[in-house]
Amino acid sequence: MSLRPRVVNFDETWAKIRETLESVVTLKKIPRSVWNDSDVYALCVAFPEPLGEKLYAEVKSFLENHGQSLYEAVSGPDVDILRLYHNHWSQFSKGSLYMNLLFGYLNTHLKKQKQDYGEISPYSTSFSPDAMEEVMDIGALALDIWKRKMIEPLKETLVKHVLIEVKRDREGEDTHQNIVHETVLSFVEVQQYQSKGALHLYEEVFEKSLLKETKEYYRREAAELHCGNTCQAFISKVDIRIQDEDLRTRKFFHPVSYSRVIRECEARMVEDYIPYLQIECRQMVQEENTQYLSKLYTLLKHIPRGLQAMVTELEEHITKTGLQAIRSVKVENGPQQYVDELLGIHRKFSHLIKDTFRDDPAFISALDKACASLVNYRHDPKRSSKSPELLAKYCDSILKKSTKNLSDAELDEKLGDIIIIFKYIDDKDIFQKFYSKMLAKRLIHTLSVSMDAEEGMISRLKHACGYEYTNKLHRMFTDISISSDLNSSFNDFLSNAEVSLGVTFTLFVLQSGAWPLGQTSISPLSIPQELVKSVQMFEQFYNGRFNGRKLTWLQHLSTGEVKISYLKRPYFITVTTFQMAVILLFNEKTSLHFSEILEQTQLVERELVRTLQSLADVRLILLSEDADPTKCTYSLNMDFSSKRTKLKITAAVQRETPQDTEQTLSAVDDDRKMYLQAAIVRIMKSRKVLKHNALIQEVISQSSARFTPSIAMIKKCIEALIDKQYIERREGSKDEYTYMA
């Protein structure tokens, strides 16, 4: 067939096209030869004048007449309007797609003319430029005619019948799901060719009525359920109604309505009854009724501020339950039970929140607030919380060698649990002080269960608080490593000098700034003659290697092993250096008076009494009957015996006394003052001039990661810095400070 324009008889050609169009719109079978006919093209390029506009007008007229006939069929009396409308719509909507394909060239032809309407033939009187603006594709035209001929006159009737079907479904009756669904979607599909406002008809004609009906239906439904059921039964039935409505929206409506319908349902059945539900919520939380709490959570989570009361109730319940648990623990009995109670509370309510509230952030935040108040609870309001000290002691018990050492997996789990509690502690500097003291003892006396475990714990603390927090702890490990190399070098030094010490001698060289080893209350000691050469040779070695460094010997932390040979069988006894100094005196005499021992050891009286008592307790020495230990005579027990040949009577790792605890807390207080003063100087150096309240807030902000400083302490630090001339009060202002360079 030629594609050149030619003279075409419009009436004859239209008759054939109309016959095809009637088959298409009624979905009748069409022979391929007829479908492939190019009559549409021939009319659009006809000579001398294209007939596309005339063809468009005839198609439009045909569709309007067809739409009118369908309307008359549907709107007749005694008809099942939804079923009939659905049948015609199903046929027409599919037909419109085929029509759009059949008239594909006409659509292209009209679009081109619309773009170039200035060049339309002067002989054409069918379309003016203004009229061309209203031309649309045949598929869109068909749907537009359906909208005008069917939906507009029938919309109220259609919506009424659809809502009747929806109500029947809500009441458990059988409905025509497919018919209702496709009828509803026809309000959207008739505007599918529109780039904007495709949902306008659906929302205005159908959805508004749907939401209004939903509101009224569930207001009545909720009132009936409230009157005839307990709160728990009410919650269960409302939960079921909302789940059913959620399924119903997906069966019948367009996706845009899903959330809107459910929101309306929740508003009437849940939001209107929030005061009632909140009253019952308290009892459920106190009873930890997870079944109904989970259902109540599901109902309230989409309501604005619906969960607020439940979150508050849970936080108060956790706090109350936790306080009852930790108040019943006797702190003086040790940290194990105290920490286990805290971990038990956290673990219990973490599981409850996960299983019941699906790890909702609001409830996790409530757990964190409650646990923070428990961990930082002060048994004595005038003193800081005991948690940092007890947690440090708990760490010590876990990381110290014992007869009940844990497996690696159990140890790792315990350390993870410790960090859970640690993160809630406000006074992290107190924990650091106690932890470092106990770590020092474990390292010095090689009591750690594992160096990997020690380093793993420090890494966890570093991750939680940063490098600065664990800097000294890392330096302690470095010193232990360096000391091992120093001992090896010292042995090489002795070998090269061909010197024999007569004893096996190892030591740690520790940085005074990194280790919490106070020297204020250390007793002096006259070193036993057997050890003098070892000390002198090491000092000679160390001074030759490190010029300008000063060694301070901490004999009170040292230990040694002595061999007892005067009995029937030898014994090897591990003792402190103080105990060793006393025992070695009995090499010369088997009986010594307290004053003699005091003179030869040079120990302070209090320390000597304690040392002698520790030896008497194991009956290595015997006391005369005098009640005053400073007036006794002490003699070797020539009948000493033990089932073991290796004994340990060292008192080096002593239990923390109340005085030691007070000293530690006092040291923390001093450290805080220095930290605050440094923070104030940093802030003022940066800001130059700052008001009092702003300075206070910035100091608190910078300190919050380590501790929560009191306003009184900050004020004292400010006054101290004014006295030291780091800052000054600005002239003419009572509450403003200036940095002094």
Side-chain angles (χ1 to χ4, degrees), residues 45-65:
V45 298
F47 181 82
E49 176 185 353
L51 300 173
E53 295 87 344
K54 189 173 182 181
L55 174 61
Y56 183 89
E58 290 294 342
V59 172
K60 181 177 180 181
S61 176
F62 170 82
L63 291 174
E64 287 179 340
N65 292 333

Side-chain angles (χ1 to χ4, degrees), residues 629-680:
T630 62
K631 297 178 180 179
C632 285
T633 298
Y634 297 86
S635 58
L636 275 178
N637 182 5
M638 305 307 292
D639 297 322
F640 175 83
S641 65
S642 174
K643 293 180 181 180
R644 294 179 295 173
T645 58
K646 288 190 175 182
L647 306 174
K648 186 175 183 180
I649 56 174
T650 176
V653 187
Q654 299 169 0
R655 178 173 293 182
E656 193 89 2
T657 65
Q659 293 77 15
D660 293 332
T661 301
E662 288 300 325
Q663 288 179 1
T664 303
L665 294 175
S666 178
V668 169
D669 199 50
D670 293 338
D671 289 346
R672 286 184 175 183
K673 290 175 183 176
M674 295 304 296
Y675 183 90
L676 292 176
Q677 289 184 29
I680 293 168

Side-chain angles (χ1 to χ4, degrees), residues 24-35:
V24 168
V25 81
T26 55
L27 299 182
K28 292 180 181 178
K29 189 174 182 180
I30 304 172
R32 183 177 293 275
S33 60
V34 174
W35 178 264

Side-chain angles (χ1 to χ4, degrees), residues 100-119:
N100 210 46
L101 295 173
L102 179 64
F103 293 101
Y105 189 81
L106 176 61
N107 292 336
T108 304
H109 172 73
L110 294 178
K111 283 180 182 177
K112 186 176 184 305
Q113 281 202 327
K114 186 174 181 180
Q115 293 170 359
D116 305 328
Y117 65 83
E119 300 176 9

